[in-house]
Amino acid sequence: MESLTSRIHAVQSPIIPVVGELIKNSPGTISLGQGVVSYNPPPEAIEFLPKFLDEPTNNLYKSVEGIPQLLTALAGKLQAFNGIEINEENCIIVTAGSNMGFMNAILAITNPGDEIILNTPYYFNHEMAIAMAGCRPVLVATDENYQLRPDAIAQAITPKTRAVVTISPNNPTGVVYSEAALRQVNQICGVQRSCAEGTRNIYHISDEAYEYFTYNGVKHISPAAFSNSSEYTISLYSLSKAYGFASWRIGYMVIPKHLLIAVKKVQDTILICPPVISQYAALGALQAKEEYLKSHIGAIAQVRQLVLDSLNRLQGLCSIIPANGAFYFFLKVHTQMDAFELVKRLIQEHKVAVIPGTTFGMDDGCYLRVAYGALQKETAKEGIERLVQGLATIVRS
């Protein structure tokens, strides 16, 4: 058969299905891999589905940017929780998940060969989307605590830079970036830069999919809430995590109004409109009582503490960075072993799965992402015990 070549050959393969196949071949494995929650959408989401069914025209295509009633509800949420006012300078686009929002943004603001700054460790789907668009990721290392280094970001900017990407709370590290650092990034992006084509802005793409998952009194910060930032801040949100909506595929983005036509072109081509039945479910979810998020995230906080207490027994074998957000810890294992080989041995010999750090751009050592959002306390305790014992056995052997 003739071999085919395309831009996709240069894109890394998604790691989750690869690890999933290893888990499938090792029955009884507890997964600390995929970043999902264990709980279901609120009952209000399901209760809204008859409203979708009651309107026959809902079987037709709807607005590219989302149904009006959901856009209104999201505007209220953004004002109340994020401090972002929707006005004549910005607008909301409902998407099929926040990954789609990121792809929309990259295609709308770049030409092939342009550069996007990613802070390492990065979220692998971001790096993949940049490569698919024919652009180049420029990697800037975070500090020893996985916090942003604004000076290094500023130094990485070239005439081809089109955006700086931040994720807070962070995937894969779980850290939450400070307001001061996010303000510095916005200031960097807000500066007009001269280039051969004229004068332009560099955009700040702020991925906030884990906005509700913060612990120990840490507060989430949305860069688009900073004054005078609407023109160059692109904010990405998701219902997948906080509302147990992973398969419903509903996210949304807040973009400068001048990008609306470009983003609508991308979304109309790829999607036409977000699934309308899922939009109705999202509208219901947003009406859930405050106790829904509070109780579920409180339960995850308890699992987080259990996981952290167990991981702390690995001091000396691993570096464990404090993380007050999302539902991840990112370990640096003190070994010369290849990260993926270590992951395979943990699954095959100790029945516990994690994700190798190489898929997040960390190839200068052996790193592992540990996800705990999908586990109940009992399963988490067993899974983390297997991980601790497995790492101790393998690394010391």
Side-chain angles (χ1 to χ4, degrees):
M1 179 182 290
E2 181 180 351
S3 63
L4 300 176
T5 58
S6 77
R7 71 181 71 193
I8 301 302
H9 283 249
V11 179
Q12 67 164 303
S13 297
I15 191 65
I16 298 297
V18 175
V19 173
E21 190 65 23
L22 290 171
I23 294 171
K24 180 181 176 182
N25 294 331
S26 187
T29 296
I30 295 176
S31 178
L32 302 171
Q34 194 163 19
V36 293
V37 296
S38 63
Y39 55 87
N40 293 321
E44 290 87 347
I46 309 306
E47 290 165 4
F48 256 67
L49 298 184
K51 298 180 185 294
F52 166 83
L53 297 170
D54 286 344
E55 177 50 66
T57 65
N58 281 335
N59 296 307
L60 304 175
Y61 295 127
K62 294 296 181 180
S63 172
V64 173
E65 59 262 50
I67 59 175
Q69 55 267 53
L70 180 55
L71 293 172
T72 299
L74 291 172
K77 174 267 177 184
L78 287 161
Q79 179 76 67
F81 184 80
N82 304 93
I84 298 172
E85 179 186 359
I86 300 302
N87 52 39
E88 66 281 356
E89 297 179 351
N90 59 12
C91 55
I92 305 169
I93 302 286
V94 180
T95 61
S98 60
N99 274 6
M100 182 172 191
F102 186 82
M103 194 81 223
N104 285 351
I106 295 300
L107 291 174
I109 67 174
T110 65
N111 291 310
D114 283 342
E115 297 174 351
I116 306 293
I117 294 177
L118 297 180
N119 296 280
T120 57
Y122 53 64
Y123 172 44
F124 54 85
N125 280 138
H126 286 174
E127 190 268 348
M128 293 166 68
I130 292 164
M132 285 181 190
C135 296
R136 189 173 80 88
V138 173
L139 308 184
V140 175
T142 50
D143 70 14
E144 64 276 7
N145 292 315
Y146 302 128
Q147 291 290 334
L148 295 174
R149 296 165 57 231
D151 290 346
I153 292 171
Q155 291 171 10
I157 289 173
T158 75
K160 287 185 172 291
T161 304
R162 292 296 177 265
V164 177
V165 180
T166 62
I167 310 169
S168 183
N170 187 260
N171 177 12
T173 67
V175 304
V176 180
Y177 297 149
S178 70
E179 179 176 349
L182 290 171
R183 281 188 181 276
Q184 285 182 270
V185 173
N186 255 34
Q187 288 166 2
I188 291 166
C189 295
V191 173
Q192 293 285 340
R193 295 184 56 83
S194 297
C195 60
E197 295 82 11
T199 302
R200 61 176 173 77
N201 279 321
I202 298 172
Y203 294 91
H204 180 181
I205 302 177
S206 173
D207 186 331
E208 303 174 39
Y210 299 88
E211 58 184 327
Y212 292 106
F213 296 89
T214 59
Y215 315 102
N216 298 323
V218 172
K219 300 296 183 184
H220 173 67
I221 301 295
S222 294
F226 301 152
S227 60
N228 302 316
S229 66
S230 293
E231 187 179 352
Y232 51 83
T233 306
I234 298 170
S235 306
L236 308 178
Y237 301 96
S238 174
L239 272 71
S240 294
K241 311 303 180 183
Y243 288 95
F245 248 60
S247 73
W248 292 83
R249 306 315 304 137
I250 291 291
Y252 55 102
M253 56 196 305
V254 179
I255 61 173
K257 184 64 76 66
H258 66 260
L259 291 178
L260 177 60
I261 292 175
V263 169
K264 286 177 69 173
K265 285 180 182 180
V266 176
Q267 180 140 305
D268 184 68
T269 301
I270 297 174
L271 184 67
I272 299 181
C273 67
V276 178
I277 190 169
S278 295
Q279 292 190 66
Y280 269 78
L283 186 59
L286 292 172
Q287 299 186 30
K289 296 179 177 61
E290 185 178 336
E291 182 59 27
Y292 170 81
L293 289 178
K294 185 177 180 181
S295 62
H296 285 304
I297 294 174
I300 288 177
Q302 293 180 23
V303 172
R304 172 188 175 276
Q305 192 58 54
L306 182 154
V307 170
L308 184 58
D309 290 344
S310 293
L311 289 177
N312 280 331
R313 289 160 42 201
L314 292 171
Q315 295 288 356
L317 288 179
C318 300
S319 296
I320 303 148
I321 303 301
N324 287 310
F327 33 74
Y328 307 111
F329 289 109
F330 201 65
L331 310 183
K332 182 175 184 180
V333 186
H334 302 156
T335 178
Q336 298 299 312
M337 187 180 301
D338 173 76
F340 186 67
E341 183 61 30
L342 178 54
V343 167
K344 286 199 295 185
R345 288 190 61 183
L346 285 168
I347 294 171
Q348 293 165 354
E349 299 171 18
H350 297 275
K351 306 288 188 183
V352 62
V354 289
I355 302 297
T358 45
T359 200
F360 304 102
M362 301 297 281
D363 53 11
D364 61 341
C366 186
Y367 296 85
L368 304 174
R369 188 189 75 173
V370 179
Y372 54 86
L375 303 179
Q376 304 293 336
K377 286 181 76 172
E378 297 75 17
T379 311
K381 185 174 182 180
E382 174 63 24
I384 204 67
E385 282 300 312
R386 293 183 189 182
L387 178 63
V388 169
Q389 293 177 17
L391 286 173
T393 301
I394 294 170
V395 174
R396 286 173 174 153
S397 62

